[in-house]
DNA sequence: TATTGTTATACTCTATAACTATA
DNA sequence: TATAGTTATAGAGTATAACAATA
């Protein structure tokens, strides 16, 4: 199972007084996880979870998820791209991209501009505010990545990248 | 963004005729992902996604997610454990474990048995059907893992495990 | 006919808060 | 008072199907 932590949930959790830490510690140490720790899928999930959590907490007040950050990065790298192209690049259905772009548009980071050539198409662009925000977010994300990657030597980092790439179909 | 693929969605997607493959291929190759491919978090998500997808499709009619599978494994390894203990082991809130156990109980794989000593507590046990099903599931999961891991040498697999472990807090 | 974006809808997974029953 | 489980509720994230506008 193992939550993909929600953005708001994380923020609130820090102050939650509900469980005593000692109880939690004991149970975590005690419970046998069976064959799970021998499974690559399980290990991968734990690692991704840890990085996701660090990502979110390092974003602080910006309240942006890795997913939304990725969308901003892709739009910046491909100014004017169509929603359909974005959805493919992000491995989402084109209907799923709609609320995503809505959210970024509401926050004032992205604008849809109808194409003059093909009036079915919305080109996507960062607003100047979106550009400025993304500039800061990227610095934060790079710092977050460095903080994580510091646990590995440069050679290990490269090795990890290579090994992960081999897992892709 | 990048979906955690839903179980039912996957099954349906195989037959979905909506997009032509050629279009999708072109756009994937074309769109610039900016700094994303340099981020460990991004690579990790792709790898996890790939494994999750393979997991789900290899389960076929069993229709069990990695998360539910993990829950069954933990219960098997700790017969009679309390829901609270399970929730901690699975990194879930204790309220979130309720619908999870409900689902497994509905399918007849798990039973709650009230403790005689402390009547607040539900001990969790696999039913005999749950045991039998899990025995088969484990074989399937191990085959799935082998199929993935075959892309790596034994030494590489060990290396990957070690590197992933270093990423945990 | 095919494509683009959208809506309507539904589903999974998870959390917080407040409750009940025990201890 | 504290703990175990539950309910009520909400929200993120995503999909499928059907539709209108446009090509």
């Amino acid at each position: 199972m193992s939550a993909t932590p929600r953005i708001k949930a994380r923020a609130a959790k820090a102050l939650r007084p509900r469980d005593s830490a000692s109880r939690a510690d004991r149970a975590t140490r005690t419970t046998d996880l069976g064959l799970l720790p021998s499974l690559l899928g399980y290990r991968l999930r734990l690692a991704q979870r840890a990085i996701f959590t660090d990502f979110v907490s390092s974003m602080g007040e910006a309240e942006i998820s890795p997913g939304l950050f990725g969308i901003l990065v892709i739009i910046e790298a491909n100014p004017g791209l169509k929603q359909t192209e974005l959805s493919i690049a992000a491995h989402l259905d084109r209907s799923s991209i709609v609320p995503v772009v809505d959210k970024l548009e509401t926050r004032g980071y992205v604008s849809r501009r109808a194409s003059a050539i093909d009036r079915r198409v919305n080109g996507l662009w960062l607003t100047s505010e979106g550009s400025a925000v993304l500039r800061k977010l990227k610095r934060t994300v790079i710092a977050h990545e460095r903080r994580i990657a510091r646990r590995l030597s440069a050679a290990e980092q490269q090795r990890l990248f290579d090994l992960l790439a081999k897992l892709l179909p």
Side-chain angles (χ1 to χ4, degrees), chain A:
Chain A
M1 208 93 301
S2 226
T4 293
R6 288 295 159 292
I7 301 284
K8 304 229 165 140
R10 285 305 304 170
K13 191 162 192 174
L15 353 154
R16 186 178 57 156
R18 210 171 61 181
D19 286 319
S20 78
S22 60
R23 176 70 195 78
D25 292 350
R26 194 170 59 72
T28 319
R29 277 203 307 274
T30 292
T31 308
D32 181 357
L33 298 177
L35 89 171
L36 296 183
S38 72
L39 300 178
L40 181 54
Y42 178 76
R43 300 291 195 131
L44 221 33
R45 190 149 49 93
L46 288 187
Q48 205 224 313
R49 215 189 121 78
I51 293 195
F52 188 117
T53 300
D54 189 279
F55 182 105
V56 169
S57 72
S58 66
M59 294 316 248
E61 34 152 347
E63 298 251 319
I64 199 141
S65 65
L68 283 184
F69 173 74
I71 297 292
L72 288 175
V73 168
I74 294 172
I75 295 174
E76 183 189 49
N78 307 272
L81 89 169
K82 310 195 287 187
Q83 290 189 194
T84 300
E85 287 166 341
L86 175 59
S87 71
I88 292 164
H91 305 287
L92 292 174
D93 189 87
R94 74 180 194 273
S95 69
S96 303
I97 217 70
V98 174
V100 170
V101 173
D102 286 350
K103 181 178 284 185
L104 294 173
E105 206 174 31
T106 301
R107 294 199 196 180
Y109 299 164
V110 164
S111 76
R112 291 167 157 108
R113 299 217 296 253
S115 159
I117 330 161
D118 181 341
R119 282 162 40 234
R120 293 171 304 182
V121 169
N122 283 344
L124 299 174
W125 311 77
L126 293 189
T127 62
S128 55
E129 192 198 345
S131 276
V133 166
L134 182 55
R135 199 152 33 237
K136 288 186 69 175
L137 291 179
K138 285 199 289 191
R139 277 200 294 270
T140 308
V141 169
I142 287 165
H144 142 79
E145 281 271 330
R146 264 205 267 278
R147 197 167 50 246
I148 302 282
R150 205 164 24 180
R151 299 170 198 167
L152 308 179
S153 72
E156 285 175 326
Q157 290 171 38
Q158 187 54 55
R159 192 102 172 98
L160 179 54
F161 268 60
D162 293 345
L163 291 169
L164 290 175
K166 287 196 181 188
L167 298 179
L168 302 183

